[in-house]
Amino acid sequence: MKNIFLFIGLLLGTLVYSQENLTYQQPPQEILELAEAPLAPSIRMDDDGENLIFLYRSNFTSIEALSETEMRLGGLRINPVTNINSRQNYYNKVKIRVGRDSNNEDIVGMPENGRFANFSWSPNQQKMAFTNTVSTGVELWVLDITTKSAKKITQANLNANTGNPYTWFKDNNSLLIKVISKERKPLIDTKSAVPTGPTISVSEAGKKAQNRTYQDLLKNKSDEHNFEQLTLSELYKVTLDGNISLWKESDMYSRLNLSPDGNYILVTTIEKPFSYLVTYRRFPSKTNIYSSQGTLVNNILNIPLIEDLPKGFMAVRKGKRNLSWRADKAATLFWCEALDEGNPANNVEYRDEVFELNAPFTGEKKSLIKTIDRFNGIEWGNEKTAIATDIWRDNRNTKSYLFNPSNSAVKPVVISDRNYQDRYNDPGSFVTTRNEFGKYTMNISGNNVYLIGDGYSKKGQFPFIDQMNLKTLKTKRLYQSELTDKAENISSVFDMKKGEILVRIESKNEYPNYYIRNIKKGNKLTALTQFENPFKSIQNVHKEVIKYKREDGLDLSGVLYLPTNYEEGKKYPMIVWAYPREYKDKSSAGQSTSNSNSFTYPRYNSPIFWVTRGYVVLNSASFPIVGEGDEEPNDSFIKQLVANGKAAIDAVDALGYIDRNKVAVGGHSYGAFMTANLLSHSNLFAAGIARSGAYNRTLTPFGFQAEERNYWEAPEIYYNMSPFMHANTMKTPLLLIHGEADNNSGTYPLQSERYFNALKGLGAPVRLVMLPKESHGYSAKESVLHLLWEQDQWLEKHVKNRQ
């Protein structure tokens, strides 16, 4: 009985812990230099590879920026002053290159101290629109490629609270924009507002709402009011010379989607009633079709509130889903409907059926194809050629169907039926090209289509391009990378007739750069970018992919780094960093997708910094959890987890690099959960670092990660997998780190707080660091540098200098 009361006390957080008052700290200089190294720009390129936009951003935001006003409503995080996502990642500088062989240039007319986002090409790719966030709101700007100049199109009155606030019209001269509604009422200060009554939720007998543990949900009528006001917009048509006219009156607009010919537009609005159980994406919605002039054509879809789906990852709602435009036709809608009532427990021959409806959208729907498993998408080709895919998560299967969208009497042909986790046999993705409507459809030449593959294999990664004959279904390899000292990735195809493809090439110490490779001219390479390595202090670090076996014979791997001061024969402390993944077959679980030639990039969330501090690092260590046949992976989670950890230490120890008594383990999110379990159920590690994890699975009772069973179906699984339940066995030093504003499903900050209380109450060596304002990932410079300092201090004390 005493233990029960202790458990309840821990759960309620009644144990008090002492505080350590610290300002933000910075890590040692060798780590600081790497963390603050400037980032290379990302690029936006037109389809011909002729014109390039270079987008620059800072490594971090600031704690001041994270401290701006934020409202968390229905799964959204909104800055109510600027009316854009309060966690928006911004670019702060833009450059342009007109012509492949030209120089990068500044853009005339760009605003100073800009915060740029939502970049989008015009239909003819001669212009690019983007938003600029100022202190009072969001402006729309347009960049002219030819003149290399930008100008402001609207005032700071756009509403970006539900995503991109604009879309291009087909004429390349005007855009449809969401503007803050004139009908918006004052927001309620929920902290100081006097309640008018209690918040009451109800459950009807027999209606099961087995939802995951979402965060940032609406909680009361004040939240409902604020959500509605912040999502209300009016739609306006604005031309590039600034003329603006009302297109549609105030409503809660979420989605704007023009037909390929530009004559129609799908407009989706959020409807009531709202929910306190799910995010706004599962609120009721209505989708209407309008003409490009704003005239209502038809109401095409009404979706009710979705709170009570059947159990399982493959459960879906009844009615039309995945409503969109056919990319290969002027104005034809397509969608799918469940044939199993959306319930994966129902046994049926086909799970979904796909339909289409032509303009003016008043006729009878036409059936296109039925899929054996859950419909996943279509690559459109032409009137007689399309490829549909389905997916079934329970057995990790996916199939591809070649079908004739003009004749449903022609039986579809299954051209691929495989385990989607089997990366070695992935046939690749179809090459697409822009059609007359500016939409992307399969590149079809006669009877041939083309595929780009990652090219993972036992020997390494060698990307390829295949040609597939649609009549014989036979493939012919047109190109495969032969680089053995560098890593190559195929980004896209410019022109299959000319043989021009876009590739990214990198090595351990060469920063990734883009090239045009001509596979019809001796695989000739032409450089597009010349980004320099900003991490020179670790450019010569030893890096290799090691492969080893688990005690049951399962193949494992990891990326091994040796310290920058490595001396042969000397033994070093080690950090193992990992993330568990679930599989339904051992063959896929044993595959390696790590490339020893990929660039050594010390992101804040990786342990690579510590090669500068005298540590061996095993990054991306394989931690597969396999459950074949009727067995689920989590049925033996702990046993497999410990076996993975032991195999990793044994493998590196056998190479003679490490002192196996000085090994740390760490991970983020589910990797943090892994870390806590390893320390609870083994004596393999000297210390652990667990960031933003969940440690009590009874607080996520309707599934977590890949676990579909709820707590009441598998209570022993939930109990055995919860480090919180085994806090009394944990004696290894553990550093817990969590963002105070974590928004990830299941990883409430409460999880780390309660776990710390339990460990402290039982006398375990543990430190809890709560990062103010931070979400599931960390972004403020102050937070990230302090995080690196905390980890370094912990490793120095409990691993390197462990007594």
Side-chain angles (χ1 to χ4, degrees), residues 120-129 168 172 434:
S120 177
W121 288 105
S122 62
N124 63 5
Q125 298 191 336
Q126 293 302 301
K127 297 178 176 63
M128 178 172 277
W168 282 94
N172 298 290
R434 274 170 36 109

Side-chain angles (χ1 to χ4, degrees), residues 508-538:
K508 300 173 186 179
N509 54 16
E510 293 180 14
Y511 199 88
N513 275 288
Y514 290 92
Y515 301 79
I516 294 174
R517 185 184 286 283
N518 194 310
I519 63 175
K520 291 189 176 181
K521 292 184 178 181
N523 295 328
K524 178 184 176 183
L525 276 179
T526 304
L528 279 178
T529 63
Q530 298 86 31
F531 303 136
E532 293 187 4
N533 181 2
F535 309 111
K536 294 188 184 300
S537 66
I538 60 170

Side-chain angles (χ1 to χ4, degrees), residues 188-310:
I188 297 173
D189 183 351
T190 56
K191 293 182 180 179
S192 60
V194 178
T196 58
T199 299
I200 299 172
S201 299
V202 297
S203 175
E204 298 179 22
K207 292 193 73 174
K208 298 180 180 180
Q210 299 190 14
N211 297 301
R212 294 277 172 130
T213 46
Y214 299 113
Q215 301 197 50
D216 298 342
L217 299 177
L218 301 181
K219 297 179 178 65
N220 50 49
K221 289 295 182 182
S222 295
D223 280 355
E224 290 193 52
H225 169 86
N226 290 340
F227 176 85
E228 181 175 6
Q229 302 314 308
L230 288 168
T231 54
L232 280 174
S233 304
E234 294 167 345
L235 298 183
Y236 281 84
K237 182 177 183 179
V238 61
T239 61
L240 296 187
D241 56 12
N243 289 328
I244 189 167
S245 57
L246 181 67
W247 196 84
K248 195 55 58 182
E249 61 280 354
S250 180
D251 211 330
M252 291 182 284
Y253 297 104
S254 60
R255 181 192 182 200
L256 309 173
N257 190 357
L258 263 75
S259 62
D261 64 3
N263 291 329
Y264 301 94
I265 181 169
L266 288 175
V267 177
T268 301
T269 54
I270 303 167
E271 304 293 317
K272 296 181 179 179
F274 300 147
S275 171
Y276 297 177
L277 290 178
V278 294
T279 64
Y280 84 100
R281 296 185 184 279
R282 289 171 65 174
F283 289 0
S285 65
K286 177 174 66 177
T287 301
N288 289 332
I289 305 175
Y290 294 92
S291 70
S292 58
Q293 290 75 39
T295 303
L296 178 64
V297 176
N298 200 356
N299 169 241
I300 195 68
L301 178 60
N302 295 289
I303 301 175
L305 177 64
I306 309 169
E307 284 186 341
D308 55 350
L309 287 175

Side-chain angles (χ1 to χ4, degrees), residues 516-652:
I516 294 174
R517 185 184 286 283
N518 194 310
I519 63 175
K520 291 189 176 181
K521 292 184 178 181
N523 295 328
K524 178 184 176 183
L525 276 179
T526 304
L528 279 178
T529 63
Q530 298 86 31
F531 303 136
E532 293 187 4
N533 181 2
F535 309 111
K536 294 188 184 300
S537 66
I538 60 170
Q539 67 177 2
N540 295 318
V541 67
H542 176 85
K543 175 184 180 181
E544 63 176 309
V545 175
I546 63 168
K547 297 182 179 181
Y548 50 98
K549 289 185 181 293
R550 202 165 71 178
E551 61 186 8
D552 60 357
L554 185 65
D555 291 323
L556 303 177
S557 64
V559 184
L560 182 70
Y561 301 83
L562 296 185
T564 53
N565 63 347
Y566 174 72
E567 297 177 18
E568 189 173 354
K570 186 176 178 181
K571 292 186 180 294
Y572 294 84
M574 180 170 73
I575 306 169
V576 177
W577 203 265
Y579 190 95
R581 301 189 185 279
E582 299 86 349
Y583 296 85
K584 287 298 292 179
D585 72 294
K586 290 182 178 179
S587 175
S588 299
Q591 295 180 359
S592 173
T593 56
S594 297
N595 192 328
S596 61
N597 293 317
S598 62
F599 181 69
T600 302
Y601 199 147
R603 296 176 175 85
Y604 90 86
N605 55 0
S606 84
I608 297 173
F609 294 99
W610 279 271
V611 299
T612 67
R613 300 282 288 164
Y615 290 82
V616 171
V617 172
L618 185 64
N619 196 26
S620 302
S622 296
F623 267 72
I625 309 297
V626 185
E628 295 187 307
D630 294 332
E631 181 185 0
E632 291 299 323
N634 286 341
D635 291 348
S636 54
F637 179 85
I638 300 298
K639 179 181 178 182
Q640 294 192 62
L641 203 66
V642 173
N644 291 329
K646 183 177 183 300
I649 295 174
D650 288 346
V652 185

